[in-house]
Amino acid sequence: MSMSQLETHTSSKNTKNTSKKTPNIPQEIQSLTSTKTTLLHRRAALVMSILLMLIGLLTYQFAAKEGPSQPAIAAAFIILTIFAALLTANLLFGQFLSARVPSLAVLGGVYFYVSLINIPYLLTLPKVFAETGLFNAGLYAPSWFWIFWQVGYSCGIVLYVIVDKRYSTQQLSRNIARRSYLIILPSILFLTLILSFIAFDPYHILPPIFPASSPPAFIPGITLFVFGVNALMCIIAFFLLHNHSVLHLWLRLSILASFINVSLSLFTTGRYSVGWYVSRVNGLMTAIFVLYALLHEANKLYIRLALQ
């Protein structure tokens, strides 16, 4: 064996040995859940949280007063909520198909559910498309859709927190991620159809949910249940979600806004009260702000990945 052949053989042998000894270090999954917060993020979230709480406290003493009955304004709020939730779901599903983190699929499904459940809520709202709402829904249907919306969102957030804590470092294969996505969409659509059938109550089996006098907007059992589910969502999210994640930071802000808005809606005279209007404005502004923040962070993430 010549000197050059000996050197080549030795070099290839050393390369093989080095490759065997080098451990496989898993790369961090790049997504909104792994994007770290900055001081500016935390300050912006703190300012928004303080503003939401101040608005809630200042509004509470006037929340039960009747406001102008404007179905067109209510319809505008619901339509904008549908589009904001649908865009957020699309963003989160895009992140899921890219990063293939299971918790992102759950959170995308939550916002997709919010967008879908608001559609029959809008259609059954009195004096928007018909005097008593479309499909002959009756008096209680819009309120049941609102309850399904708030309880479903709260339960979905709790499920997201559980999945995120358990599978935050797990990455699905591309085939499983695509199959999961194709299963989640029709499943949520089917769930919405079932809840719509229940809310329409064709056999009149649902109990009356309006009290003899207002406030509150619902009977005590319904009020305590919806409020309790939202309170549980807040406690779980604020104690178990990571502080350093951009997604979790803005999700906490959405959860806080949801809790304040539900409280204003529950402990007032109901639709078209001052508390009802303030809760709708708060919820819509928070949803748009959070959507913009997530889109901005996702854009920065894609640019960073492209440069890498």
mmCIF file of all heavy atoms in Angstrom, residues 31 90-106 108 172-173 176-182 184 302:
data_model
loop_
_atom_site.group_PDB
_atom_site.id
_atom_site.type_symbol
_atom_site.label_atom_id
_atom_site.label_comp_id
_atom_site.label_asym_id
_atom_site.label_seq_id
_atom_site.Cartn_x
_atom_site.Cartn_y
_atom_site.Cartn_z
ATOM 1 N N SER A 31 -41.325 27.057 15.660
ATOM 2 C CA SER A 31 -42.721 27.444 15.507
ATOM 3 C C SER A 31 -43.007 28.590 16.465
ATOM 4 O O SER A 31 -42.118 29.050 17.188
ATOM 5 C CB SER A 31 -43.657 26.266 15.813
ATOM 6 O OG SER A 31 -43.592 25.926 17.187
ATOM 7 N N ASN A 90 -56.413 29.459 10.564
ATOM 8 C CA ASN A 90 -55.609 29.194 9.375
ATOM 9 C C ASN A 90 -54.124 29.370 9.661
ATOM 10 O O ASN A 90 -53.282 28.562 9.220
ATOM 11 C CB ASN A 90 -56.043 30.124 8.248
ATOM 12 C CG ASN A 90 -55.321 29.832 6.950
ATOM 13 O OD1 ASN A 90 -55.387 28.733 6.416
ATOM 14 N ND2 ASN A 90 -54.610 30.824 6.432
ATOM 15 N N LEU A 91 -53.783 30.415 10.407
ATOM 16 C CA LEU A 91 -52.389 30.643 10.789
ATOM 17 C C LEU A 91 -51.853 29.503 11.647
ATOM 18 O O LEU A 91 -50.746 28.993 11.417
ATOM 19 C CB LEU A 91 -52.270 31.971 11.539
ATOM 20 C CG LEU A 91 -50.926 32.276 12.206
ATOM 21 C CD1 LEU A 91 -49.824 32.418 11.163
ATOM 22 C CD2 LEU A 91 -51.015 33.534 13.052
ATOM 23 N N LEU A 92 -52.641 29.073 12.622
ATOM 24 C CA LEU A 92 -52.196 28.012 13.527
ATOM 25 C C LEU A 92 -52.105 26.664 12.813
ATOM 26 O O LEU A 92 -51.179 25.885 13.070
ATOM 27 C CB LEU A 92 -53.150 27.924 14.728
ATOM 28 C CG LEU A 92 -53.117 29.124 15.662
ATOM 29 C CD1 LEU A 92 -54.274 29.070 16.651
ATOM 30 C CD2 LEU A 92 -51.787 29.182 16.424
ATOM 31 N N PHE A 93 -53.040 26.372 11.921
ATOM 32 C CA PHE A 93 -52.956 25.131 11.153
ATOM 33 C C PHE A 93 -51.739 25.152 10.221
ATOM 34 O O PHE A 93 -51.107 24.113 10.000
ATOM 35 C CB PHE A 93 -54.238 24.917 10.345
ATOM 36 C CG PHE A 93 -55.359 24.316 11.133
ATOM 37 C CD1 PHE A 93 -56.634 24.864 11.082
ATOM 38 C CD2 PHE A 93 -55.152 23.203 11.930
ATOM 39 C CE1 PHE A 93 -57.674 24.311 11.805
ATOM 40 C CE2 PHE A 93 -56.186 22.640 12.669
ATOM 41 C CZ PHE A 93 -57.455 23.202 12.597
ATOM 42 N N GLY A 94 -51.431 26.324 9.656
ATOM 43 C CA GLY A 94 -50.222 26.433 8.835
ATOM 44 C C GLY A 94 -48.971 26.154 9.647
ATOM 45 O O GLY A 94 -48.044 25.467 9.185
ATOM 46 N N GLN A 95 -48.941 26.674 10.872
ATOM 47 C CA GLN A 95 -47.826 26.390 11.763
ATOM 48 C C GLN A 95 -47.764 24.900 12.113
ATOM 49 O O GLN A 95 -46.683 24.315 12.190
ATOM 50 C CB GLN A 95 -47.983 27.203 13.050
ATOM 51 C CG GLN A 95 -47.627 28.667 12.913
ATOM 52 C CD GLN A 95 -46.136 28.896 12.934
ATOM 53 O OE1 GLN A 95 -45.465 28.595 13.917
ATOM 54 N NE2 GLN A 95 -45.595 29.420 11.847
ATOM 55 N N PHE A 96 -48.931 24.291 12.301
ATOM 56 C CA PHE A 96 -48.964 22.867 12.628
ATOM 57 C C PHE A 96 -48.424 22.014 11.485
ATOM 58 O O PHE A 96 -47.618 21.098 11.695
ATOM 59 C CB PHE A 96 -50.400 22.445 12.958
ATOM 60 C CG PHE A 96 -50.602 20.962 12.985
ATOM 61 C CD1 PHE A 96 -49.960 20.182 13.938
ATOM 62 C CD2 PHE A 96 -51.406 20.330 12.054
ATOM 63 C CE1 PHE A 96 -50.130 18.790 13.968
ATOM 64 C CE2 PHE A 96 -51.589 18.966 12.070
ATOM 65 C CZ PHE A 96 -50.942 18.188 13.031
ATOM 66 N N LEU A 97 -48.848 22.303 10.260
ATOM 67 C CA LEU A 97 -48.381 21.525 9.115
ATOM 68 C C LEU A 97 -46.895 21.734 8.853
ATOM 69 O O LEU A 97 -46.237 20.870 8.267
ATOM 70 C CB LEU A 97 -49.185 21.898 7.872
ATOM 71 C CG LEU A 97 -50.662 21.497 7.897
ATOM 72 C CD1 LEU A 97 -51.388 22.035 6.678
ATOM 73 C CD2 LEU A 97 -50.812 19.975 7.982
ATOM 74 N N SER A 98 -46.363 22.876 9.292
ATOM 75 C CA SER A 98 -44.938 23.142 9.125
ATOM 76 C C SER A 98 -44.111 22.523 10.246
ATOM 77 O O SER A 98 -43.148 21.809 10.001
ATOM 78 C CB SER A 98 -44.700 24.648 9.059
ATOM 79 O OG SER A 98 -43.314 24.938 9.024
ATOM 80 N N ALA A 99 -44.508 22.813 11.501
ATOM 81 C CA ALA A 99 -43.734 22.320 12.654
ATOM 82 C C ALA A 99 -44.180 20.936 13.108
ATOM 83 O O ALA A 99 -43.422 20.215 13.749
ATOM 84 C CB ALA A 99 -43.858 23.304 13.816
ATOM 85 N N ARG A 100 -45.448 20.579 12.814
ATOM 86 C CA ARG A 100 -46.033 19.269 13.152
ATOM 87 C C ARG A 100 -46.035 19.018 14.659
ATOM 88 O O ARG A 100 -45.792 17.901 15.117
ATOM 89 C CB ARG A 100 -45.307 18.153 12.394
ATOM 90 C CG ARG A 100 -45.260 18.369 10.892
ATOM 91 C CD ARG A 100 -44.811 17.141 10.150
ATOM 92 N NE ARG A 100 -43.475 16.693 10.504
ATOM 93 C CZ ARG A 100 -42.350 17.217 10.039
ATOM 94 N NH1 ARG A 100 -42.408 18.219 9.182
ATOM 95 N NH2 ARG A 100 -41.176 16.749 10.403
ATOM 96 N N VAL A 101 -46.314 20.078 15.435
ATOM 97 C CA VAL A 101 -46.442 19.971 16.890
ATOM 98 C C VAL A 101 -47.908 19.733 17.219
ATOM 99 O O VAL A 101 -48.770 20.519 16.795
ATOM 100 C CB VAL A 101 -45.941 21.255 17.583
ATOM 101 C CG1 VAL A 101 -46.095 21.148 19.093
ATOM 102 C CG2 VAL A 101 -44.489 21.513 17.210
ATOM 103 N N PRO A 102 -48.268 18.663 17.949
ATOM 104 C CA PRO A 102 -49.689 18.321 18.163
ATOM 105 C C PRO A 102 -50.511 19.434 18.801
ATOM 106 O O PRO A 102 -51.676 19.624 18.450
ATOM 107 C CB PRO A 102 -49.601 17.099 19.088
ATOM 108 C CG PRO A 102 -48.264 16.501 18.815
ATOM 109 C CD PRO A 102 -47.362 17.651 18.506
ATOM 110 N N SER A 103 -49.932 20.192 19.732
ATOM 111 C CA SER A 103 -50.702 21.221 20.428
ATOM 112 C C SER A 103 -51.188 22.308 19.476
ATOM 113 O O SER A 103 -52.261 22.897 19.682
ATOM 114 C CB SER A 103 -49.859 21.841 21.547
ATOM 115 O OG SER A 103 -48.674 22.408 21.030
ATOM 116 N N LEU A 104 -50.434 22.592 18.419
ATOM 117 C CA LEU A 104 -50.852 23.612 17.454
ATOM 118 C C LEU A 104 -52.105 23.163 16.696
ATOM 119 O O LEU A 104 -52.949 23.993 16.338
ATOM 120 C CB LEU A 104 -49.727 23.906 16.473
ATOM 121 C CG LEU A 104 -48.550 24.708 17.027
ATOM 122 C CD1 LEU A 104 -47.413 24.766 16.014
ATOM 123 C CD2 LEU A 104 -48.978 26.109 17.428
ATOM 124 N N ALA A 105 -52.226 21.872 16.450
ATOM 125 C CA ALA A 105 -53.434 21.359 15.797
ATOM 126 C C ALA A 105 -54.642 21.549 16.706
ATOM 127 O O ALA A 105 -55.735 21.910 16.241
ATOM 128 C CB ALA A 105 -53.254 19.880 15.453
ATOM 129 N N VAL A 106 -54.459 21.316 17.998
ATOM 130 C CA VAL A 106 -55.555 21.499 18.957
ATOM 131 C C VAL A 106 -55.983 22.961 19.006
ATOM 132 O O VAL A 106 -57.177 23.282 18.935
ATOM 133 C CB VAL A 106 -55.139 21.017 20.359
ATOM 134 C CG1 VAL A 106 -56.229 21.311 21.374
ATOM 135 C CG2 VAL A 106 -54.827 19.528 20.338
ATOM 136 N N GLY A 108 -55.474 25.325 16.753
ATOM 137 C CA GLY A 108 -56.103 25.679 15.493
ATOM 138 C C GLY A 108 -57.547 25.202 15.437
ATOM 139 O O GLY A 108 -58.439 25.907 14.953
ATOM 140 N N LEU A 172 -44.723 15.185 14.909
ATOM 141 C CA LEU A 172 -45.371 14.148 14.122
ATOM 142 C C LEU A 172 -44.716 14.034 12.753
ATOM 143 O O LEU A 172 -44.063 14.963 12.272
ATOM 144 C CB LEU A 172 -46.855 14.474 13.955
ATOM 145 C CG LEU A 172 -47.684 14.672 15.229
ATOM 146 C CD1 LEU A 172 -49.096 15.089 14.868
ATOM 147 C CD2 LEU A 172 -47.693 13.415 16.081
ATOM 148 N N SER A 173 -44.911 12.900 12.118
ATOM 149 C CA SER A 173 -44.453 12.750 10.744
ATOM 150 C C SER A 173 -45.364 13.575 9.824
ATOM 151 O O SER A 173 -46.470 13.963 10.200
ATOM 152 C CB SER A 173 -44.484 11.280 10.328
ATOM 153 O OG SER A 173 -45.820 10.807 10.265
ATOM 154 N N ILE A 176 -48.788 11.794 9.142
ATOM 155 C CA ILE A 176 -49.702 11.832 10.291
ATOM 156 C C ILE A 176 -50.237 13.238 10.502
ATOM 157 O O ILE A 176 -51.418 13.429 10.824
ATOM 158 C CB ILE A 176 -48.986 11.319 11.554
ATOM 159 C CG1 ILE A 176 -48.658 9.825 11.402
ATOM 160 C CG2 ILE A 176 -49.838 11.547 12.793
ATOM 161 C CD1 ILE A 176 -47.918 9.231 12.571
ATOM 162 N N ALA A 177 -49.381 14.246 10.300
ATOM 163 C CA ALA A 177 -49.826 15.636 10.462
ATOM 164 C C ALA A 177 -50.918 15.976 9.454
ATOM 165 O O ALA A 177 -51.937 16.593 9.786
ATOM 166 C CB ALA A 177 -48.647 16.584 10.317
ATOM 167 N N ARG A 178 -50.733 15.570 8.202
ATOM 168 C CA ARG A 178 -51.739 15.852 7.178
ATOM 169 C C ARG A 178 -53.038 15.104 7.456
ATOM 170 O O ARG A 178 -54.137 15.660 7.293
ATOM 171 C CB ARG A 178 -51.201 15.456 5.806
ATOM 172 C CG ARG A 178 -50.112 16.401 5.282
ATOM 173 C CD ARG A 178 -49.457 15.845 4.054
ATOM 174 N NE ARG A 178 -48.343 16.684 3.599
ATOM 175 C CZ ARG A 178 -47.400 16.295 2.765
ATOM 176 N NH1 ARG A 178 -47.426 15.047 2.284
ATOM 177 N NH2 ARG A 178 -46.429 17.110 2.406
ATOM 178 N N ARG A 179 -52.929 13.850 7.872
ATOM 179 C CA ARG A 179 -54.131 13.081 8.190
ATOM 180 C C ARG A 179 -54.871 13.691 9.378
ATOM 181 O O ARG A 179 -56.101 13.775 9.380
ATOM 182 C CB ARG A 179 -53.760 11.629 8.489
ATOM 183 C CG ARG A 179 -53.300 10.845 7.261
ATOM 184 C CD ARG A 179 -52.781 9.483 7.654
ATOM 185 N NE ARG A 179 -52.197 8.784 6.512
ATOM 186 C CZ ARG A 179 -51.527 7.642 6.624
ATOM 187 N NH1 ARG A 179 -51.358 7.070 7.823
ATOM 188 N NH2 ARG A 179 -51.013 7.066 5.541
ATOM 189 N N SER A 180 -54.120 14.122 10.383
ATOM 190 C CA SER A 180 -54.738 14.753 11.554
ATOM 191 C C SER A 180 -55.488 16.008 11.150
ATOM 192 O O SER A 180 -56.609 16.266 11.612
ATOM 193 C CB SER A 180 -53.672 15.087 12.602
ATOM 194 O OG SER A 180 -52.976 13.931 13.011
ATOM 195 N N TYR A 181 -54.867 16.794 10.289
ATOM 196 C CA TYR A 181 -55.494 18.030 9.806
ATOM 197 C C TYR A 181 -56.793 17.727 9.066
ATOM 198 O O TYR A 181 -57.816 18.396 9.271
ATOM 199 C CB TYR A 181 -54.506 18.765 8.905
ATOM 200 C CG TYR A 181 -55.061 19.986 8.209
ATOM 201 C CD1 TYR A 181 -55.372 21.130 8.926
ATOM 202 C CD2 TYR A 181 -55.259 19.978 6.834
ATOM 203 C CE1 TYR A 181 -55.886 22.252 8.280
ATOM 204 C CE2 TYR A 181 -55.759 21.095 6.185
ATOM 205 C CZ TYR A 181 -56.070 22.232 6.919
ATOM 206 O OH TYR A 181 -56.575 23.325 6.275
ATOM 207 N N LEU A 182 -56.769 16.693 8.214
ATOM 208 C CA LEU A 182 -57.954 16.334 7.433
ATOM 209 C C LEU A 182 -59.039 15.694 8.294
ATOM 210 O O LEU A 182 -60.212 15.670 7.903
ATOM 211 C CB LEU A 182 -57.562 15.371 6.304
ATOM 212 C CG LEU A 182 -56.646 15.969 5.222
ATOM 213 C CD1 LEU A 182 -56.238 14.903 4.211
ATOM 214 C CD2 LEU A 182 -57.340 17.134 4.519
ATOM 215 N N ILE A 184 -59.430 16.656 11.695
ATOM 216 C CA ILE A 184 -59.880 17.698 12.621
ATOM 217 C C ILE A 184 -60.953 18.570 11.988
ATOM 218 O O ILE A 184 -61.979 18.863 12.614
ATOM 219 C CB ILE A 184 -58.683 18.553 13.084
ATOM 220 C CG1 ILE A 184 -57.800 17.742 14.031
ATOM 221 C CG2 ILE A 184 -59.152 19.831 13.783
ATOM 222 C CD1 ILE A 184 -56.503 18.427 14.382
ATOM 223 N N TYR A 302 -40.642 32.866 9.486
ATOM 224 C CA TYR A 302 -40.400 32.351 8.136
ATOM 225 C C TYR A 302 -39.177 33.000 7.491
ATOM 226 O O TYR A 302 -38.399 32.343 6.800
ATOM 227 C CB TYR A 302 -41.638 32.575 7.266
ATOM 228 C CG TYR A 302 -42.805 31.684 7.619
ATOM 229 C CD1 TYR A 302 -44.098 32.177 7.657
ATOM 230 C CD2 TYR A 302 -42.608 30.345 7.916
ATOM 231 C CE1 TYR A 302 -45.169 31.357 7.999
ATOM 232 C CE2 TYR A 302 -43.663 29.531 8.254
ATOM 233 C CZ TYR A 302 -44.938 30.041 8.294
ATOM 234 O OH TYR A 302 -45.980 29.225 8.619
#
